[in-house]
């Protein structure tokens, strides 16, 4: 037991939780958090071993081990029983492997912490790491790599590593793939499972671990639990691996790297090796410098680049960091015009740094940053326990105990010498410039080995360095002004009419106001949401694009002013919605009205600035072009929405209209967007009902009631409706389509089962089915069949129309076969459902009730919940209570009937549609799927080579039989799959027109509300 002096852990003023530090006999460092109010318990274990410790030639071993620990242990040898236990009790689990640590975490309904902890502890006491599971899970690691391989952030991160010292572990590839963890080691005669065990035994020592446990129990009880469960972790007295030295030597500095991105974009990043912030976190030098270099108001670097039309975004701050090294980066998204001025842009960066050098470190700026950070820390929102423990466990090895909660979020010591020291490191001769653009296609001469990123490197010439060093600052550059948005009134409003759910406070021909006073969070924050229904805004693809540009221009015009508000913790957004546009403001309520007024001033006096129009249009076009590079499963998701939404324009249509749209079109169209409007408003948090009403009155007066009003109310017939396609009962459709990016090998399946429009009993049956089937589906389709890294079963809600969806991304099986595997899973799941004991059934029902009764943790979460009721038009603010009442009466028979009528293959009321995106590894299968020959099922291509069918027998399929794998043991058995007659859809629009629609729950201003 720890007999040392108790330290005072700094916590937020509004934090009522109790904390206690503990050191077990095996040197495991623990933080206990007792929160009697919590509905979820959670724990995180951070092990101070990461990918830097991977043995040579076994890249990704630490990450692979992280995956393997989830499988089974000596105490709980049944595979997947850990995940199964958590899911059945409303929990979830995850992990990540970083360079120097690996973090495992879970949450569970608050009453089930003890057994969950016992199971979790076995990860670190006696994992099985079976031969069989090891040989399967390597495929998931490989599929995870396939998911990342065409994603620019992964590619650039590895390129930075590639261009660093080979002797530093920073250089290595960390996630691993089949080649590094299977093929290559086997060829060398290395047994990877033995290596996993060796790695585990060599590094997973309790003295290198940090544990955080969060529960509703008292500190004493939590302490007993932790001592009982975690004392058995072996302490092999390992010393923490130490990686001294810098990843970049002189040959890796003063370089310009040109590289070809996947996406349509130009980016410029300048990186400098700096002293890690962790060494001086109370002085916060990188925070101070990032605040200034990344500022966006008048005088800032970004403001200047924006006025020249060269940049569309800029950020600055510490990037890669560890105890021994770190980088400071300035990341700029360039416009097409900016792409032509790279050297001048870099020159402006150094001019700005020269200004910081000349003006010296300013105490008032540090004080401002400190004040903002302090308010932010003390009035922080509660977050989900799983994220809370994950963050703290990661901090524990880096900070002294008193700062475990604070970490580096509270700079408190003004020390100009330390800030100056880091500023002095940001010089041209120390810089690494990474410049990405498709323009460099064909002009590069090297390829990064892991992601095959094309690049070339050149040294930056000494004359250029000299020019940058000596460059005199542009007159437009300067320090920001004092921030007027910092809140000074943080008092809580006295609210008399405290209500449990939102109330309809006010209704007029222009608007409707919903109001919810704060009864939960007691922070000086509020939320205002304004949803404008503008009938003209969605009348055509052109209209939607023009509305999109309209909202983006508003943000663009507001940016220099509103950036101060954002820095001070008052955030806003303006975006188009497909039926108009939405304005949202959230944060400290003190100065919220000032910002709101400014936003409406811009809407009232909207004008089209030619130069900004061009920049925004270019950005909108690129956004649409880049949809091509979405993950295939996201593309499948898009097709599902396209089919279900009665009114939704297609991306090809947008791509056709954007290039032709001119500034003049918006000059003519903007007045039409706002000519007739109706807005729905939601106000919540630290605001009285009087204030909420005055917000709406003020907006109405400015938009509708002036002498020459901008807007009129919309006609009765124009009121918003949102309708969803109702699939035919008893049908089984599929829509095959090629992936948009012909380089992407991944295929994807989105298997959608439609249910009803917000029917309480059916909703809870659906949720119960998803809860019970989620983990078995994951275990069967991912852990056993290894179809791919992404395997998910979840519920879906389209404007109140509920459904279930299976999502799988794969290179090993084509989407038609994935679809069959889902059907086969449902078949085996049927028997599992039948054998479910009454106790198991009850336990699942109780888990779902607990999840439903979970309190909102912060204003954002609460707003999301109520807003979706308003936005869908369902308006069941007491949904949780009503659904819990129905759940309490639900029987196992009810669930079986639901499954038999709606979910299982051949069910009479089943309405199923599968969206099948074919990647480049399944080109031949796509052709057959399109031509409608069942021959698409006759062969399967595994990783590029033709191979025998595993799992699906062609002959059996012709007789509507497929192999089905039992969900209990990883053994294959055969079951009949009767009634698998999918009908192909070739044209989404023809199909949509042939189907009925659900009624719209959204309706006009005269909608009756109970
Ligand atoms: Zn992983």
């Amino acid at each position: 037991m720890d007999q040392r002096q108790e330290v005072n852990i700094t916590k937020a003023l509004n934090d009522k939780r109790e904390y206690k530090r503990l050191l077990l006999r095996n040197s495991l460092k623990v933080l206990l958090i007792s929160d009697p109010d919590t509905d979820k318990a959670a724990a995180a274990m951070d092990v101070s071993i990461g990918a830097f410790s991977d043995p040579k030639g076994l890249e990704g071993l630490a990450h692979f081990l992280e995956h393997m620990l989830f499988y089974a242990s000596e105490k709980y040898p049944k595979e997947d029983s850990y995940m199964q236990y958590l899911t059945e009790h409303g929990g979830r689990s995850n992990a990540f492997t970083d360079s120097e640590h690996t973090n495992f975490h879970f949450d569970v309904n608050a009453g089930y912490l003890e057994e969950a902890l016992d199971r979790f502890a076995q990860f670190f006491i006696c994992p099985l790491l079976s031969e069989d599971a090891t040989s399967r899970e390597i495929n998931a690691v490989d599929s995870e790599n396939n998911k990342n391989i065409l994603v620019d952030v992964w590619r650039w991160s590895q390129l930075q590593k590639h261009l660093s010292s080979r002797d530093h572990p920073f250089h290595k590839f960390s996630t691993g793939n089949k080649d590094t963890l299977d093929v290559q080691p086997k060829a060398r005669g290395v047994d990877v499972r033995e290596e996993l065990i060796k790695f585990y035994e060599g590094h997973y020592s309790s003295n290198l671990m940090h544990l955080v446990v969060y529960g509703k129990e008292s500190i004493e009880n939590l302490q007993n639990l932790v001592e009982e469960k975690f004392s058995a972790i072996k302490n092999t007295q390992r010393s923490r691996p130490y990686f001294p030295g810098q990843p970049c030597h002189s040959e890796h500095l003063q370089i310009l790297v040109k590289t070809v991105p996947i996406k349509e974009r130009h980016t410029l990043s300048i990186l400098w090796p700096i002293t890690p912030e962790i060494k001086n976190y109370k002085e916060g030098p990188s925070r101070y410098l990032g605040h200034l270099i990344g500022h966006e108001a008048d005088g800032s670097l970004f403001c200047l680049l924006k006025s020249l039309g060269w940049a569309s975004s800029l950020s600055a701050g510490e990037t890669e960091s560890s105890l021994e090294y770190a980088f400071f980066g300035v990341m700029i998204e360039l416009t097409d015009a900016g792409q032509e001025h790279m050297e001048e842009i870099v020159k402006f960066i150094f001019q700005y740094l020269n200004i910081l050098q000349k003006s010296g470190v300013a105490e008032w700026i540090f004080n401002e940053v400190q004040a903002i950070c302090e308010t932010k820390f003390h009035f922080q929102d509660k977050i989900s326990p799983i994220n809370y423990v994950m963050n703290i466990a990661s901090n524990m090895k880096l900070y002294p105990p008193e700062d475990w909660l604070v970490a580096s979020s509270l700079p408190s010591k003004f020390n100009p010498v330390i800030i100056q020291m880091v500023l002095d490191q940001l010089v041209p001769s120390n810089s690494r410039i990474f410049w990405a653009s498709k323009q460099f296609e064909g002009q590069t001469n090297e390829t990064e080995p892991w992601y095959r990123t094309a690049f070339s490197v050149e040294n930056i010439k000494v004359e250029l360095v000299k020019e940058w060093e000596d460059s005199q600052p542009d007159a437009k550059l300067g320090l920001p002004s004092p921030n007027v948005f910092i809140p000074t009134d943080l008092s809580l409003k006295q609210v008399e009419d405290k209500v449990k759910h939102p109330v309809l406070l006010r209704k007029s021909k222009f608007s409707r106001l919903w109001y919810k006073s704060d009864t939960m969070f007691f922070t000086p924050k509020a939320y205002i949401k304004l949803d404008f229904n503008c009938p003209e805004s969605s009348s055509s693809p052109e209209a939607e694009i023009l509305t999109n540009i309209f909202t983006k221009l508003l943000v663009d015009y507001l940016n220099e002013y509103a950036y101060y508000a954002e820095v001070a913790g008052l955030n806003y957004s303006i975006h188009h919605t497909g039926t108009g546009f939405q304005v949202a403001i959230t944060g400290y309520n003190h100065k919220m009205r000032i910002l709101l007024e400014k936003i409406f001033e811009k809407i009232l006096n909207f004008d089209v600035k030619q130069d900004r129009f061009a920049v925004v249009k270019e950005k909108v076009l690129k956004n649409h072009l880049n949809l091509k590079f979405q993950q295939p499963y996201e593309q499948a998701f898009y097709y599902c929405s396209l089919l279900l939404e009665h009114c939704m324009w297609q991306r090809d249509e947008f791509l056709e209209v954007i290039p032709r749209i001119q500034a003049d079109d918006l000059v003519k169209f903007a007045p039409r967007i706002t000519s007739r409007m109706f807005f729905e408003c939601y106000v919540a948090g630290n605001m009285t009902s009087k204030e909420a009403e005055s917000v709406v009155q003020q907006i109405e007066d400015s938009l509708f009631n002036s002498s020459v009003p901008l807007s009129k109310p919309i006609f009765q017939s124009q009121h918003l409706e949102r309708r969803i396609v109702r699939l035919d009962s008893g049908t089984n459709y599929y829509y095959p389509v090629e992936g948009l990016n012909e380089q992407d090998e991944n295929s994807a399946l989105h298997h959608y089962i439609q249910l009803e429009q917000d029917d309480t009993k059916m909703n809870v049956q659906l949720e119960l089915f998803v809860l019970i089937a989620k983990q078995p589906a994951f275990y069967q389709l991912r852990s056993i069949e290894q179809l791919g890294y992404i395997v998910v079963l979840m519920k879906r809600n389209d404007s109140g129309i509920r459904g279930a969806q299976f999502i799988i991304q794969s290179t090993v099986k084509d989407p038609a076969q994935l679809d069959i595997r889902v059907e086969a899973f449902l078949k085996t799941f049927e028997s599992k459902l039948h054998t479910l004991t009454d106790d198991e059934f009850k336990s699942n029902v109780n888990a779902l009730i607990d999840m439903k009764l979970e309190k909102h943790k912060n204003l954002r979460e609460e707003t999301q919940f109520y807003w979706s009721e308003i936005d869908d038009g369902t308006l069941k603010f007491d949904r949780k209570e009503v659904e819990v009442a129905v759940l309490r009466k639900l029987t196992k028979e009810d669930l079986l009937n639901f499954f038999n009528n709606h979910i299982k293959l051949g069910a009479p009321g089943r309405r199923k549609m599968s969206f099948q995106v074919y990647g480049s590894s399944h080109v031949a299968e796509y052709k057959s799927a399109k031509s409608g020959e069942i021959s698409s099922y006759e062969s399967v291509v595994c990783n590029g080579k033709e191979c025998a069918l595993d799992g699906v027998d062609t002959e059996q399929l012709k007789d509507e039989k497929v192999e089905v794998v039992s969900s209990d043991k990883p053994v294959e058995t055969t079951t009949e799959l009767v009634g698998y007659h999918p009908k192909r859809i070739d044209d989404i629009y023809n199909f949509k027109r042939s189907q009925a629609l659900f009624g719209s729950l959204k309706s006009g201003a005269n909608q009756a509300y109970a």
Side-chain angles (χ1 to χ4, degrees), residues 177 324 378 382 542 595 664 823 904 993:
N177 58 28
E324 295 302 315
H378 287 296
K382 248 189 176 181
E542 284 91 346
L595 180 60
D664 254 6
E823 299 291 9
K904 76 171 188 184
R993 280 186 281 268

Side-chain angles (χ1 to χ4, degrees), residues 63-64 66-67 94-97 137 140-141 144 175 782 789:
H63 174 220
F64 190 19
E66 171 230 295
H67 277 230
N94 212 338
F96 63 84
T97 306
E137 190 60 16
V141 173
E144 188 177 350
T175 46
R782 179 172 144 174
Y789 177 72

Side-chain angles (χ1 to χ4, degrees), residues 118-353:
D118 193 54
R119 290 170 176 275
F120 183 59
Q122 307 311 314
F123 278 44
F124 314 100
I125 296 171
C126 54
L128 275 187
L129 306 174
S130 79
E131 189 88 56
D132 180 35
T134 308
S135 68
R136 274 180 279 133
E137 190 60 16
I138 177 60
N139 296 298
V141 173
D142 193 54
S143 174
E144 188 177 350
N145 184 58
N146 284 334
K147 168 184 76 67
N148 301 340
I149 208 138
L150 295 176
V151 178
D152 284 323
V153 286
W154 285 98
R155 298 165 72 89
W156 294 346
S157 160
Q158 194 62 43
L159 182 57
Q160 285 174 33
K161 292 168 186 290
H162 182 68
L163 296 168
S164 68
S165 166
R166 280 172 187 280
D167 306 326
H168 196 285
F170 180 72
H171 186 81
K172 292 198 281 192
F173 171 57
S174 61
T175 46
N177 58 28
K178 194 148 185 150
D179 201 47
T180 65
L181 292 168
D182 188 42
V183 180
Q184 296 293 343
K186 263 186 194 151
R188 294 195 308 267
V190 172
D191 183 329
V192 175
R193 182 177 168 253
E194 266 171 31
E195 293 294 329
L196 279 171
I197 294 169
K198 214 161 49 176
F199 190 89
Y200 179 84
E201 286 178 348
H203 295 300
Y204 274 57
S205 172
S206 56
N207 68 319
L208 296 185
M209 298 181 186
H210 293 84
L211 173 72
V212 184
V213 175
Y214 190 118
K216 64 175 180 164
E217 293 80 358
S218 67
I219 287 287
E220 295 67 43
N221 288 348
L222 288 174
Q223 177 166 348
N224 291 338
L225 275 180
V226 166
E227 283 169 2
E228 181 195 320
K229 310 292 181 200
F230 292 88
S231 293
I233 302 177
K234 253 188 265 164
N235 182 1
T236 51
Q237 314 275 6
R238 299 285 152 170
S239 50
R240 194 157 112 195
Y242 172 58
F243 304 97
Q246 291 295 311
C248 291
H249 301 158
S250 58
E251 66 266 36
H252 310 114
L253 301 172
Q254 208 179 311
I255 52 169
L256 169 65
V257 183
K258 290 180 184 165
T259 172
V260 182
I262 295 292
K263 282 191 175 176
E264 214 49 75
R265 64 199 295 197
H266 320 291
T267 64
L268 182 65
S269 303
I270 306 197
L271 297 159
W272 296 266
I274 54 160
T275 307
E277 185 87 335
I278 187 79
K279 292 209 189 285
N280 300 294
Y281 67 95
K282 289 198 169 148
E283 291 80 3
S286 289
R287 181 183 288 271
Y288 175 94
L289 294 168
H291 167 73
L292 292 174
I293 301 166
H295 215 284
E296 300 187 7
D298 286 331
S300 66
L301 180 59
F302 178 63
C303 186
L304 174 64
L305 296 176
K306 193 184 142 188
S307 71
L308 292 165
W310 291 354
S312 57
S313 75
L314 182 148
S315 62
E318 191 179 43
T319 58
E320 297 270 356
S321 65
S322 81
L323 282 169
E324 295 302 315
Y325 69 87
F327 294 92
F328 189 94
V330 177
M331 280 71 67
I332 305 173
E333 198 83 40
L334 302 174
T335 60
D336 290 347
Q339 173 67 12
E340 306 301 319
H341 296 277
M342 188 279 287
E343 287 187 12
E344 283 152 279
I345 291 170
V346 177
K347 190 154 85 183
F348 282 135
I349 295 174
F350 286 112
Q351 285 183 12
Y352 194 81
L353 291 167

Side-chain angles (χ1 to χ4, degrees), residues 443-461:
Q443 298 175 26
T444 56
N445 56 5
E446 289 187 69
T447 307
E448 186 280 312
W450 300 106
Y451 293 80
R452 317 293 309 155
T453 307
F455 73 98
S456 62
V457 192
E458 54 196 271
N459 291 314
I460 303 171
K461 292 198 181 67

